[in-house]
Short mmCIF file of all heavy atoms in Angstrom, two decimals:
data_model
loop_
_atom_site.label_atom_id
_atom_site.label_comp_id
_atom_site.label_asym_id
_atom_site.label_seq_id
_atom_site.Cartn_x
_atom_site.Cartn_y
_atom_site.Cartn_z
N ARG A 30 -175.81 215.59 115.55
CA ARG A 30 -176.54 215.65 114.28
C ARG A 30 -175.92 216.65 113.31
O ARG A 30 -176.09 216.53 112.12
CB ARG A 30 -177.98 216.01 114.54
CG ARG A 30 -178.64 215.03 115.50
CD ARG A 30 -180.05 214.73 115.07
NE ARG A 30 -180.73 213.87 116.03
CZ ARG A 30 -180.67 212.56 116.03
NH1 ARG A 30 -179.95 211.93 115.14
NH2 ARG A 30 -181.34 211.86 116.92
N LEU A 31 -175.20 217.63 113.84
CA LEU A 31 -174.59 218.65 113.00
C LEU A 31 -173.08 218.61 113.14
O LEU A 31 -172.55 218.40 114.23
CB LEU A 31 -175.09 220.05 113.41
CG LEU A 31 -176.58 220.29 113.27
CD1 LEU A 31 -176.93 221.64 113.87
CD2 LEU A 31 -177.00 220.23 111.82
N ALA A 32 -172.40 218.85 112.04
CA ALA A 32 -170.94 218.93 112.08
C ALA A 32 -170.50 220.21 112.79
O ALA A 32 -171.23 221.20 112.81
CB ALA A 32 -170.39 218.92 110.65
N THR A 33 -169.33 220.17 113.38
CA THR A 33 -168.78 221.35 114.02
C THR A 33 -168.55 222.40 112.94
O THR A 33 -167.84 222.16 111.97
CB THR A 33 -167.43 221.01 114.70
OG1 THR A 33 -167.64 219.89 115.56
CG2 THR A 33 -166.89 222.17 115.49
N PRO A 34 -169.16 223.60 113.08
CA PRO A 34 -169.04 224.60 112.01
C PRO A 34 -167.62 225.13 111.84
O PRO A 34 -167.22 225.48 110.74
CB PRO A 34 -170.00 225.70 112.44
CG PRO A 34 -170.28 225.47 113.87
CD PRO A 34 -170.01 224.04 114.16
N ASN A 35 -166.85 225.20 112.91
CA ASN A 35 -165.48 225.68 112.83
C ASN A 35 -164.56 224.49 112.60
O ASN A 35 -164.38 223.65 113.48
CB ASN A 35 -165.10 226.40 114.14
CG ASN A 35 -163.73 227.02 114.07
OD1 ASN A 35 -162.88 226.60 113.30
ND2 ASN A 35 -163.51 228.03 114.88
N ARG A 36 -163.97 224.42 111.43
CA ARG A 36 -163.14 223.27 111.06
C ARG A 36 -161.87 223.14 111.89
O ARG A 36 -161.21 222.13 111.85
CB ARG A 36 -162.78 223.35 109.58
CG ARG A 36 -163.97 223.21 108.70
CD ARG A 36 -163.61 223.42 107.25
NE ARG A 36 -164.82 223.42 106.45
CZ ARG A 36 -164.99 222.66 105.40
NH1 ARG A 36 -164.03 221.88 104.99
NH2 ARG A 36 -166.12 222.70 104.74
N GLU A 37 -161.54 224.15 112.66
CA GLU A 37 -160.34 224.11 113.50
C GLU A 37 -160.61 223.53 114.88
O GLU A 37 -159.70 223.18 115.59
CB GLU A 37 -159.77 225.53 113.65
CG GLU A 37 -159.38 226.18 112.33
CD GLU A 37 -158.32 225.39 111.57
OE1 GLU A 37 -157.36 224.92 112.19
OE2 GLU A 37 -158.48 225.24 110.34
N LEU A 38 -161.89 223.44 115.27
CA LEU A 38 -162.24 222.96 116.60
C LEU A 38 -162.62 221.49 116.57
O LEU A 38 -163.47 221.09 115.79
CB LEU A 38 -163.41 223.77 117.18
CG LEU A 38 -163.16 225.25 117.42
CD1 LEU A 38 -164.45 225.92 117.89
CD2 LEU A 38 -162.06 225.44 118.45
N ALA A 39 -162.01 220.72 117.45
CA ALA A 39 -162.38 219.31 117.57
C ALA A 39 -163.75 219.19 118.22
O ALA A 39 -164.21 220.10 118.91
CB ALA A 39 -161.34 218.59 118.42
N GLN A 40 -164.40 218.05 118.01
CA GLN A 40 -165.70 217.84 118.64
C GLN A 40 -165.55 217.72 120.15
O GLN A 40 -166.45 218.10 120.90
CB GLN A 40 -166.36 216.60 118.05
CG GLN A 40 -166.74 216.81 116.59
CD GLN A 40 -167.49 215.63 116.01
OE1 GLN A 40 -168.34 215.04 116.66
NE2 GLN A 40 -167.17 215.28 114.79
N MET A 41 -164.41 217.16 120.61
CA MET A 41 -164.11 217.07 122.04
C MET A 41 -162.66 217.44 122.25
O MET A 41 -161.80 217.08 121.44
CB MET A 41 -164.33 215.66 122.56
CG MET A 41 -165.74 215.20 122.52
SD MET A 41 -165.87 213.59 123.30
CE MET A 41 -167.41 213.05 122.60
N LYS A 42 -162.37 218.14 123.34
CA LYS A 42 -161.00 218.53 123.66
C LYS A 42 -160.76 218.36 125.15
O LYS A 42 -161.59 218.76 125.97
CB LYS A 42 -160.75 219.99 123.27
CG LYS A 42 -159.34 220.46 123.60
CD LYS A 42 -159.13 221.90 123.19
CE LYS A 42 -157.73 222.37 123.54
NZ LYS A 42 -157.50 223.76 123.14
N PHE A 43 -159.63 217.73 125.49
CA PHE A 43 -159.24 217.55 126.88
C PHE A 43 -157.82 218.06 127.08
O PHE A 43 -156.94 217.79 126.27
CB PHE A 43 -159.31 216.07 127.27
CG PHE A 43 -160.71 215.52 127.27
CD1 PHE A 43 -161.21 214.86 126.16
CD2 PHE A 43 -161.52 215.68 128.37
CE1 PHE A 43 -162.50 214.37 126.15
CE2 PHE A 43 -162.81 215.18 128.38
CZ PHE A 43 -163.30 214.53 127.27
N VAL A 44 -157.62 218.80 128.17
CA VAL A 44 -156.31 219.36 128.50
C VAL A 44 -155.92 218.89 129.89
O VAL A 44 -156.67 219.10 130.85
CB VAL A 44 -156.33 220.91 128.46
CG1 VAL A 44 -154.96 221.47 128.80
CG2 VAL A 44 -156.78 221.41 127.10
N ASP A 45 -154.75 218.25 130.01
CA ASP A 45 -154.24 217.75 131.28
C ASP A 45 -155.30 216.97 132.06
O ASP A 45 -155.50 217.16 133.25
CB ASP A 45 -153.69 218.90 132.13
CG ASP A 45 -152.41 219.48 131.54
OD1 ASP A 45 -151.68 218.73 130.84
OD2 ASP A 45 -152.13 220.66 131.76
N ALA A 46 -155.98 216.08 131.36
CA ALA A 46 -157.05 215.28 131.96
C ALA A 46 -156.60 213.82 132.08
O ALA A 46 -155.77 213.36 131.32
CB ALA A 46 -158.30 215.36 131.11
N THR A 47 -157.16 213.11 133.04
CA THR A 47 -156.83 211.70 133.23
C THR A 47 -158.12 210.88 133.28
O THR A 47 -159.17 211.38 133.65
CB THR A 47 -156.06 211.47 134.54
OG1 THR A 47 -156.87 211.89 135.63
CG2 THR A 47 -154.75 212.24 134.54
N GLY A 48 -158.00 209.62 132.91
CA GLY A 48 -159.14 208.72 132.99
C GLY A 48 -160.26 209.04 132.02
O GLY A 48 -161.42 209.06 132.40
N ILE A 49 -159.93 209.25 130.76
CA ILE A 49 -160.94 209.58 129.75
C ILE A 49 -161.33 208.30 129.02
O ILE A 49 -160.49 207.60 128.48
CB ILE A 49 -160.38 210.59 128.73
CG1 ILE A 49 -159.93 211.86 129.44
CG2 ILE A 49 -161.41 210.90 127.66
CD1 ILE A 49 -159.02 212.72 128.60
N GLU A 50 -162.62 208.02 128.99
CA GLU A 50 -163.12 206.86 128.27
C GLU A 50 -164.30 207.29 127.40
O GLU A 50 -165.27 207.88 127.89
CB GLU A 50 -163.59 205.79 129.25
CG GLU A 50 -164.06 204.53 128.56
CD GLU A 50 -164.47 203.46 129.55
OE1 GLU A 50 -163.71 203.19 130.48
OE2 GLU A 50 -165.57 202.91 129.37
N ILE A 51 -164.20 207.02 126.10
CA ILE A 51 -165.27 207.33 125.17
C ILE A 51 -165.66 206.02 124.50
O ILE A 51 -164.83 205.36 123.89
CB ILE A 51 -164.82 208.37 124.11
CG1 ILE A 51 -164.36 209.66 124.79
CG2 ILE A 51 -165.95 208.64 123.13
CD1 ILE A 51 -163.70 210.65 123.87
N ASN A 52 -166.95 205.63 124.68
CA ASN A 52 -167.37 204.37 124.10
C ASN A 52 -168.80 204.43 123.56
O ASN A 52 -169.58 205.30 123.92
CB ASN A 52 -167.20 203.22 125.10
CG ASN A 52 -167.97 203.43 126.37
OD1 ASN A 52 -169.17 203.54 126.37
ND2 ASN A 52 -167.25 203.50 127.48
N SER A 53 -169.07 203.50 122.66
CA SER A 53 -170.39 203.34 122.04
C SER A 53 -170.91 204.64 121.43
O SER A 53 -172.09 204.96 121.54
CB SER A 53 -171.39 202.79 123.07
OG SER A 53 -170.93 201.57 123.59
N SER A 54 -170.03 205.39 120.80
CA SER A 54 -170.39 206.69 120.23
C SER A 54 -170.39 206.64 118.70
O SER A 54 -169.69 205.82 118.11
CB SER A 54 -169.43 207.77 120.73
OG SER A 54 -169.56 207.90 122.13
N ARG A 55 -171.16 207.56 118.08
CA ARG A 55 -171.25 207.65 116.62
C ARG A 55 -171.24 209.12 116.21
O ARG A 55 -172.29 209.70 115.91
CB ARG A 55 -172.53 207.01 116.11
CG ARG A 55 -172.57 205.52 116.20
CD ARG A 55 -173.81 204.99 115.58
NE ARG A 55 -174.93 205.89 115.87
CZ ARG A 55 -176.18 205.60 115.70
NH1 ARG A 55 -176.51 204.44 115.22
NH2 ARG A 55 -177.14 206.46 115.98
N PRO A 56 -170.08 209.73 116.17
CA PRO A 56 -170.03 211.14 115.74
C PRO A 56 -170.31 211.27 114.25
O PRO A 56 -170.05 210.37 113.47
CB PRO A 56 -168.61 211.56 116.08
CG PRO A 56 -167.82 210.30 116.11
CD PRO A 56 -168.76 209.22 116.52
N THR A 57 -170.83 212.43 113.86
CA THR A 57 -171.13 212.70 112.46
C THR A 57 -169.87 213.17 111.73
O THR A 57 -168.88 213.54 112.36
CB THR A 57 -172.25 213.75 112.35
OG1 THR A 57 -172.69 213.78 110.99
CG2 THR A 57 -171.78 215.13 112.74
N LYS A 58 -169.92 213.17 110.42
CA LYS A 58 -168.78 213.59 109.61
C LYS A 58 -168.50 215.08 109.80
O LYS A 58 -169.41 215.90 109.84
CB LYS A 58 -169.06 213.33 108.13
CG LYS A 58 -167.87 213.69 107.25
CD LYS A 58 -168.07 213.14 105.88
CE LYS A 58 -166.92 213.47 104.97
NZ LYS A 58 -165.65 212.91 105.36
N THR A 59 -167.24 215.39 109.96
CA THR A 59 -166.80 216.77 110.09
C THR A 59 -165.35 216.86 109.63
O THR A 59 -164.62 215.87 109.67
CB THR A 59 -166.95 217.27 111.54
OG1 THR A 59 -166.53 218.62 111.62
CG2 THR A 59 -166.15 216.45 112.51
N ALA A 60 -164.93 218.01 109.19
CA ALA A 60 -163.54 218.20 108.76
C ALA A 60 -162.59 218.30 109.95
O ALA A 60 -161.40 218.08 109.82
CB ALA A 60 -163.43 219.45 107.89
N ALA A 61 -163.13 218.63 111.10
CA ALA A 61 -162.33 218.77 112.31
C ALA A 61 -162.08 217.39 112.92
O ALA A 61 -162.85 216.45 112.69
CB ALA A 61 -163.05 219.66 113.32
N PRO A 62 -161.04 217.24 113.75
CA PRO A 62 -160.83 215.96 114.42
C PRO A 62 -161.95 215.69 115.43
O PRO A 62 -162.57 216.61 115.96
CB PRO A 62 -159.48 216.12 115.12
CG PRO A 62 -159.23 217.58 115.16
CD PRO A 62 -159.99 218.21 114.06
N PHE A 63 -162.19 214.42 115.69
CA PHE A 63 -163.18 214.03 116.69
C PHE A 63 -162.70 214.39 118.09
O PHE A 63 -163.43 214.93 118.91
CB PHE A 63 -163.46 212.53 116.57
CG PHE A 63 -164.31 211.97 117.68
CD1 PHE A 63 -165.58 212.46 117.91
CD2 PHE A 63 -163.85 210.95 118.48
CE1 PHE A 63 -166.37 211.95 118.92
CE2 PHE A 63 -164.62 210.43 119.49
CZ PHE A 63 -165.90 210.93 119.71
N LEU A 64 -161.44 214.11 118.37
CA LEU A 64 -160.88 214.28 119.71
C LEU A 64 -159.53 214.98 119.64
O LEU A 64 -158.69 214.60 118.83
CB LEU A 64 -160.73 212.91 120.38
CG LEU A 64 -160.12 212.83 121.76
CD1 LEU A 64 -161.00 213.55 122.78
CD2 LEU A 64 -159.94 211.37 122.16
N PHE A 65 -159.33 216.00 120.48
CA PHE A 65 -158.03 216.67 120.57
C PHE A 65 -157.54 216.50 122.00
O PHE A 65 -158.25 216.81 122.96
CB PHE A 65 -158.13 218.16 120.24
CG PHE A 65 -156.78 218.83 120.16
CD1 PHE A 65 -156.05 218.79 118.99
CD2 PHE A 65 -156.24 219.45 121.27
CE1 PHE A 65 -154.80 219.39 118.91
CE2 PHE A 65 -154.99 220.05 121.20
CZ PHE A 65 -154.27 220.02 120.02
N LEU A 66 -156.31 215.97 122.14
CA LEU A 66 -155.71 215.75 123.46
C LEU A 66 -154.50 216.64 123.62
O LEU A 66 -153.63 216.68 122.75
CB LEU A 66 -155.32 214.28 123.61
CG LEU A 66 -156.49 213.30 123.47
CD1 LEU A 66 -155.97 211.87 123.35
CD2 LEU A 66 -157.46 213.45 124.62
N GLU A 67 -154.45 217.33 124.75
CA GLU A 67 -153.38 218.31 124.97
C GLU A 67 -152.81 218.16 126.38
O GLU A 67 -153.55 217.94 127.33
CB GLU A 67 -153.97 219.71 124.80
CG GLU A 67 -152.98 220.84 124.96
CD GLU A 67 -153.62 222.19 124.72
OE1 GLU A 67 -154.60 222.28 123.95
OE2 GLU A 67 -153.14 223.15 125.31
N GLY A 68 -151.49 218.27 126.46
CA GLY A 68 -150.84 218.31 127.76
C GLY A 68 -150.14 217.01 128.14
O GLY A 68 -150.67 215.92 127.94
N ALA A 69 -148.97 217.16 128.74
CA ALA A 69 -148.19 216.00 129.19
C ALA A 69 -148.88 215.26 130.34
O ALA A 69 -148.63 214.09 130.57
CB ALA A 69 -146.80 216.45 129.62
N LYS A 70 -149.76 215.94 131.06
CA LYS A 70 -150.46 215.31 132.18
C LYS A 70 -151.70 214.53 131.74
O LYS A 70 -152.32 213.84 132.55
CB LYS A 70 -150.89 216.38 133.20
CG LYS A 70 -149.72 217.05 133.87
CD LYS A 70 -150.19 218.09 134.85
CE LYS A 70 -149.02 218.82 135.48
NZ LYS A 70 -149.48 219.89 136.37
N THR A 71 -152.04 214.60 130.47
CA THR A 71 -153.19 213.84 129.96
C THR A 71 -152.79 212.37 129.85
O THR A 71 -151.85 212.03 129.14
CB THR A 71 -153.64 214.38 128.59
OG1 THR A 71 -154.03 215.74 128.74
CG2 THR A 71 -154.80 213.59 128.04
N THR A 72 -153.50 211.52 130.59
CA THR A 72 -153.18 210.08 130.62
C THR A 72 -154.46 209.26 130.67
O THR A 72 -155.54 209.78 130.93
CB THR A 72 -152.33 209.72 131.86
OG1 THR A 72 -153.06 210.07 133.04
CG2 THR A 72 -151.00 210.44 131.85
N ASN A 73 -154.28 207.95 130.46
CA ASN A 73 -155.39 207.00 130.59
C ASN A 73 -156.55 207.34 129.66
O ASN A 73 -157.67 207.54 130.10
CB ASN A 73 -155.89 206.99 132.03
CG ASN A 73 -155.69 205.66 132.69
OD1 ASN A 73 -155.24 204.72 132.08
ND2 ASN A 73 -156.04 205.60 133.95
N VAL A 74 -156.29 207.39 128.36
CA VAL A 74 -157.31 207.74 127.37
C VAL A 74 -157.67 206.49 126.57
O VAL A 74 -156.80 205.85 125.99
CB VAL A 74 -156.81 208.84 126.42
CG1 VAL A 74 -157.88 209.21 125.41
CG2 VAL A 74 -156.36 210.06 127.21
N THR A 75 -158.97 206.15 126.56
CA THR A 75 -159.44 204.95 125.86
C THR A 75 -160.63 205.29 124.97
O THR A 75 -161.60 205.90 125.43
CB THR A 75 -159.86 203.86 126.87
OG1 THR A 75 -158.78 203.57 127.73
CG2 THR A 75 -160.30 202.60 126.15
N LEU A 76 -160.55 204.87 123.71
CA LEU A 76 -161.68 204.93 122.79
C LEU A 76 -162.03 203.49 122.46
O LEU A 76 -161.19 202.75 121.92
CB LEU A 76 -161.32 205.68 121.51
CG LEU A 76 -161.48 207.20 121.52
CD1 LEU A 76 -160.43 207.82 122.40
CD2 LEU A 76 -161.42 207.73 120.14
N MET A 77 -163.27 203.07 122.79
CA MET A 77 -163.62 201.67 122.67
C MET A 77 -165.05 201.51 122.14
O MET A 77 -165.96 202.21 122.58
CB MET A 77 -163.50 201.01 124.06
CG MET A 77 -163.82 199.56 124.11
SD MET A 77 -163.42 198.81 125.72
CE MET A 77 -164.42 199.77 126.83
N ASN A 78 -165.21 200.61 121.18
CA ASN A 78 -166.52 200.25 120.63
C ASN A 78 -167.27 201.43 120.03
O ASN A 78 -168.48 201.56 120.18
CB ASN A 78 -167.39 199.57 121.70
CG ASN A 78 -166.79 198.29 122.21
OD1 ASN A 78 -166.10 197.59 121.50
ND2 ASN A 78 -167.02 198.00 123.48
N ASN A 79 -166.55 202.32 119.35
CA ASN A 79 -167.16 203.48 118.70
C ASN A 79 -167.29 203.24 117.20
O ASN A 79 -166.48 202.53 116.61
CB ASN A 79 -166.31 204.72 118.92
CG ASN A 79 -166.21 205.07 120.39
OD1 ASN A 79 -167.17 205.49 120.99
ND2 ASN A 79 -165.03 204.88 120.96
N ASN A 80 -168.29 203.85 116.57
CA ASN A 80 -168.43 203.83 115.13
C ASN A 80 -167.84 205.14 114.60
O ASN A 80 -168.47 206.18 114.66
CB ASN A 80 -169.89 203.70 114.73
CG ASN A 80 -170.07 203.60 113.23
OD1 ASN A 80 -169.18 203.94 112.46
ND2 ASN A 80 -171.23 203.14 112.81
N LEU A 81 -166.62 205.06 114.10
CA LEU A 81 -165.88 206.25 113.64
C LEU A 81 -165.74 206.26 112.12
O LEU A 81 -164.85 206.91 111.59
CB LEU A 81 -164.51 206.28 114.33
CG LEU A 81 -164.54 206.25 115.86
CD1 LEU A 81 -163.14 206.08 116.42
CD2 LEU A 81 -165.21 207.48 116.41
N LYS A 82 -166.63 205.58 111.42
CA LYS A 82 -166.55 205.47 109.97
C LYS A 82 -166.64 206.81 109.26
O LYS A 82 -166.04 207.00 108.21
CB LYS A 82 -167.65 204.56 109.44
CG LYS A 82 -167.45 203.10 109.76
CD LYS A 82 -168.57 202.28 109.16
CE LYS A 82 -168.37 200.82 109.38
NZ LYS A 82 -169.47 200.03 108.78
N LYS A 83 -167.38 207.75 109.81
CA LYS A 83 -167.58 209.04 109.15
C LYS A 83 -166.48 210.06 109.48
O LYS A 83 -166.45 211.13 108.91
CB LYS A 83 -168.93 209.62 109.56
CG LYS A 83 -170.11 208.78 109.12
CD LYS A 83 -171.40 209.38 109.59
CE LYS A 83 -172.58 208.52 109.19
NZ LYS A 83 -173.85 209.08 109.69
N ILE A 84 -165.60 209.72 110.38
CA ILE A 84 -164.57 210.65 110.86
C ILE A 84 -163.28 210.48 110.06
O ILE A 84 -162.75 209.37 109.95
CB ILE A 84 -164.28 210.41 112.36
CG1 ILE A 84 -165.55 210.56 113.18
CG2 ILE A 84 -163.19 211.33 112.86
CD1 ILE A 84 -166.17 211.93 113.12
N ASP A 85 -162.77 211.57 109.50
CA ASP A 85 -161.50 211.52 108.76
C ASP A 85 -160.32 211.46 109.72
O ASP A 85 -159.42 210.66 109.56
CB ASP A 85 -161.37 212.74 107.85
CG ASP A 85 -162.39 212.73 106.73
OD1 ASP A 85 -162.80 211.63 106.29
OD2 ASP A 85 -162.80 213.82 106.30
N LYS A 86 -160.30 212.33 110.69
CA LYS A 86 -159.20 212.41 111.66
C LYS A 86 -159.78 212.13 113.04
O LYS A 86 -160.48 212.96 113.61
CB LYS A 86 -158.57 213.81 111.61
CG LYS A 86 -157.42 214.02 112.55
CD LYS A 86 -156.17 213.36 112.04
CE LYS A 86 -155.00 213.76 112.92
NZ LYS A 86 -153.82 213.05 112.64
N VAL A 87 -159.51 210.96 113.59
CA VAL A 87 -160.10 210.57 114.87
C VAL A 87 -159.46 211.33 116.02
O VAL A 87 -160.16 211.95 116.82
CB VAL A 87 -159.97 209.04 115.10
CG1 VAL A 87 -160.49 208.67 116.47
CG2 VAL A 87 -160.72 208.28 114.01
N VAL A 88 -158.14 211.30 116.11
CA VAL A 88 -157.45 211.94 117.23
C VAL A 88 -156.35 212.84 116.73
O VAL A 88 -155.57 212.46 115.85
CB VAL A 88 -156.84 210.90 118.20
CG1 VAL A 88 -156.10 211.57 119.35
CG2 VAL A 88 -157.90 209.96 118.73
N GLU A 89 -156.27 214.02 117.30
CA GLU A 89 -155.16 214.94 117.05
C GLU A 89 -154.61 215.34 118.41
O GLU A 89 -155.35 215.42 119.39
CB GLU A 89 -155.66 216.16 116.29
CG GLU A 89 -154.55 216.95 115.63
CD GLU A 89 -155.14 217.95 114.64
OE1 GLU A 89 -155.36 217.56 113.48
OE2 GLU A 89 -155.36 219.10 115.05
N THR A 90 -153.30 215.56 118.49
CA THR A 90 -152.68 215.89 119.77
C THR A 90 -151.71 217.05 119.62
O THR A 90 -151.26 217.35 118.52
CB THR A 90 -151.90 214.69 120.34
OG1 THR A 90 -150.79 214.41 119.48
CG2 THR A 90 -152.78 213.45 120.44
N ASP A 91 -151.38 217.65 120.76
CA ASP A 91 -150.30 218.63 120.74
C ASP A 91 -148.99 217.88 120.97
O ASP A 91 -148.98 216.66 121.19
CB ASP A 91 -150.53 219.74 121.77
CG ASP A 91 -150.28 219.31 123.20
OD1 ASP A 91 -150.31 218.09 123.49
OD2 ASP A 91 -150.06 220.19 124.05
N LYS A 92 -147.88 218.57 120.91
CA LYS A 92 -146.56 217.93 120.99
C LYS A 92 -146.26 217.33 122.36
O LYS A 92 -145.48 216.39 122.47
CB LYS A 92 -145.47 218.93 120.61
CG LYS A 92 -145.53 219.32 119.16
CD LYS A 92 -144.49 220.35 118.82
CE LYS A 92 -144.64 220.77 117.37
NZ LYS A 92 -143.72 221.82 117.00
#
Side-chain angles (χ1 to χ4, degrees):
R30 303 220 185 273
L31 298 173
T33 307
N35 185 336
R36 294 175 186 232
E37 300 300 317
L38 296 176
Q40 293 184 40
M41 295 185 200
K42 179 179 179 179
F43 294 95
V44 180
D45 291 332
T47 61
I49 302 163
E50 183 178 311
I51 302 171
N52 58 61
S53 303
S54 297
R55 289 184 323 194
T57 192
K58 183 168 180 63
T59 180
F63 171 59
L64 178 64
F65 187 85
L66 301 169
E67 182 178 331
K70 294 180 183 176
T71 299
T72 60
N73 243 357
V74 181
T75 303
L76 274 70
M77 181 171 59
N78 299 328
N79 297 290
N80 183 342
L81 304 171
K82 289 181 177 181
K83 297 178 182 178
I84 302 298
D85 293 330
K86 180 77 172 172
V87 176
V88 179
E89 197 167 274
T90 66
D91 74 340
K92 292 178 183 176

